[in-house]
Amino acid sequence: MIELPSTIQMLKERWLEARMSVPADSELQICYLISEYELGVSLYQHLEHISPEDTRWVANCYSMLGQREKAREYLMKAMAQGNLGAAVDFAMVSVLMGFTAEAEKVLDDIKPMQLNQNDLALYYRCQGFLQMVQGDQHAALKLAQMAWKTLQSAAHFKIHAPRILLLLASIYKNIRQNDMCLYYARRAEEICSNDEVWNIKMLIAISLYEDGEFQEVRPYLQAIHDETTTEVFRLSSQMYLAYLDVLEGRLEDGKNKLLVIAETSEKKLLRSIEVPVRAYLVTLLVHMDERLKAVESLYRTEKLATTAMFQLIFQLHKIHMEAHLGDLEPQQAIQQVQHLMEEWHKSGDLLEYVRSRLYYCELLLMFNDARKGSEIELLVQDMVKQDCKFYGAEDVVILPHLKRHLTEHYGDLFDHLRKAPKHLLYLDTIDREQLRSGEDILPVPLRKTIEVITFLHHRKQCTLREVVLEVFGEVPPEKAKNYFHQIRHVLSSKNHLVTIEFDRTSRRYSLRTEFPLVWDLQACLDGQKKLEGIFLPSSGSDWVIELNQRLSE
């Protein structure tokens, strides 16, 4: 039995702890913010007076618990009670469930000027997400940017910022701008204070997978699968673990995982997971000569293909299966896949465009078409040029003609062909300011970068406020924060050997290095020798001046 007064008091305290500057719309909104979704559902059942805001936020709690039909039911109640923001949430849940036509109708009926600042930002976010799902990445990006701009002055910025930042990161990933993707993903991770952090981590895991970091990503995916309490993230991580099984030759293990995921996502109405899983199973089962199961999976996928994007995914695997079984004429199959290639190219989704070209090349090889050699050569060149040679890796290994051709003519496409880095990093700060890997000086384009690295290495962990005050001195705080985030982004995108990590629990930053860091000032700090020279000569920061004076004495 829930004790209503003490529970509400606890929630209000948690709201203040989150440094929210305005009151919550409902105690259930606080439950959503702090990831206490089951508490939110229980609290709703014990409220004597239920407001439209209560109904809206219990719906959001149900959604995060994976009960999306229940969420839609309560959102409709809130809409009927006059809560305008509930219509935005209803449209979002509908898109997630694959009901895009219904979502479009609801969004068309919304009058944006009647929404408050928070809900207007979410309205643009939902419109952007819908466009992304439907394949128009450039329209999606414009809407997501509008959502982010609108949110800046919104009262509940901290609640909604991670979701909008995540949308921006997802769109940038789709259009293959990885630097921007990781920048927004990391900003989202910093701000996020609820279970949506798993969505952010999942995006990072997918980026690792698509970059061919197969060994590194497995434990990362396993941790998400084992630790998250949110079904959609658990299933998503399991899907990529299944792909890794297939890549490593354990087809039976991969197949069994995917069948479980398909069944679970069907029960949970998670079409965004069920459609790609069942479509992929069609080709995997054909490859494993389990034709009856392949046909069953194809029929289920066809029923789910209610959006333009889902249709393209379904058609690709349908054409391949029919061509493989001899139910489709060679030229007809090739022409149909060419049409899919054109549609994916127009959408701007590079991953699916590359995937469609992989299947196209498989058909050319299967039918011994004269274009096979030139088309595969062009595909490989484009994949290398656009830094996406691992895209569709899980497909290549079950497309036997293409796999054989790539192995014979291009080596193993999935091997890491990277130059091994040196095993020590050197931070030079006496009379010069540079970061080295062996004798190679690493690029650090922003002026304060070396000082930030040095400060974090020296202090081990520190808050953003400490960095702003001690490293950036007289620079206005907001400008200093932006400068720090720029440096953090540059480090993560330029060399990957030194990155700045953020711990959500302690809210502190720390330095992470790929290899041990040798700092030239450490011997002076340890009292082994006197400082001869100037420490960080370009800096006028107080902490630098103090160390110069103390270590020179």
Side-chain angles (χ1 to χ4, degrees), residues 341-409:
M341 288 162 53
E342 291 169 5
E343 292 299 312
W344 281 122
H345 188 259
K346 283 190 290 187
S347 77
D349 190 327
L350 182 60
L351 171 60
E352 295 304 330
Y353 175 55
V354 168
R355 197 191 313 277
S356 65
R357 289 179 70 182
L358 293 170
Y359 279 78
Y360 171 62
C361 289
E362 171 71 5
L363 293 181
L364 294 179
L365 289 164
M366 186 190 303
F367 297 128
N368 198 27
D369 189 284
R371 293 167 288 184
K372 61 182 186 293
S374 59
E375 288 293 331
I376 294 171
E377 174 69 23
L378 184 60
L379 171 61
V380 172
Q381 287 179 4
D382 286 346
M383 290 174 79
V384 172
K385 188 187 304 180
Q386 298 186 64
D387 193 24
C388 61
K389 65 179 181 177
F390 298 105
Y391 274 21
E394 68 277 10
D395 294 272
V396 173
V397 293
I398 57 173
L399 298 175
H401 300 87
L402 181 60
K403 181 185 177 185
R404 189 181 310 116
H405 186 93
L406 291 173
T407 302
E408 290 176 0
H409 295 273

Side-chain angles (χ1 to χ4, degrees), residues 18 140 157 175 223 263 287 310 324 330 334 341 345 347 451 492 547 550:
F157 175 89
I175 60 177
E263 291 171 7
H287 180 69
F310 287 170
H324 181 87
I334 290 170
M341 288 162 53
H345 188 259
S347 77
E451 184 175 347
S492 67
L547 277 179
R550 176 161 63 86

Side-chain angles (χ1 to χ4, degrees), residues 183 187 190 433 444-453 456 464 467-469 471-492 500 509 538-539 541:
Y183 172 74
R187 289 292 305 277
E190 288 174 21
E433 300 176 15
V444 280
L446 298 174
R447 187 178 65 84
K448 280 278 188 179
T449 301
I450 294 296
E451 184 175 347
V452 168
I453 291 172
L456 289 171
L464 180 57
V467 176
V468 167
L469 289 175
V471 176
F472 294 95
E474 300 300 319
V475 178
E478 286 305 312
K479 189 175 180 181
K481 289 178 185 178
N482 288 336
Y483 197 175
F484 172 75
H485 285 303
Q486 272 187 289
I487 290 173
R488 189 166 176 241
H489 174 60
V490 166
L491 286 175
S492 67
I500 297 172
Y509 292 88
S538 74
S539 174
S541 301

Side-chain angles (χ1 to χ4, degrees), residues 65 67 87 96 102 114 122 134 147 163 179 189 220 227 294 325 355 369 372 375 408 419 429 460 466 503 548:
L65 290 168
Q67 300 181 46
L96 289 169
E102 191 171 357
Q114 294 181 357
L122 294 181
Q134 293 181 326
R163 294 190 285 178
D179 288 356
E189 189 176 17
Y220 198 92
E227 295 172 24
L325 299 178
R355 197 191 313 277
D369 189 284
K372 61 182 186 293
E375 288 293 331
E408 290 176 0
K419 182 182 176 183
T429 56
K460 307 305 180 190
E466 288 170 337
D503 181 79
N548 268 307

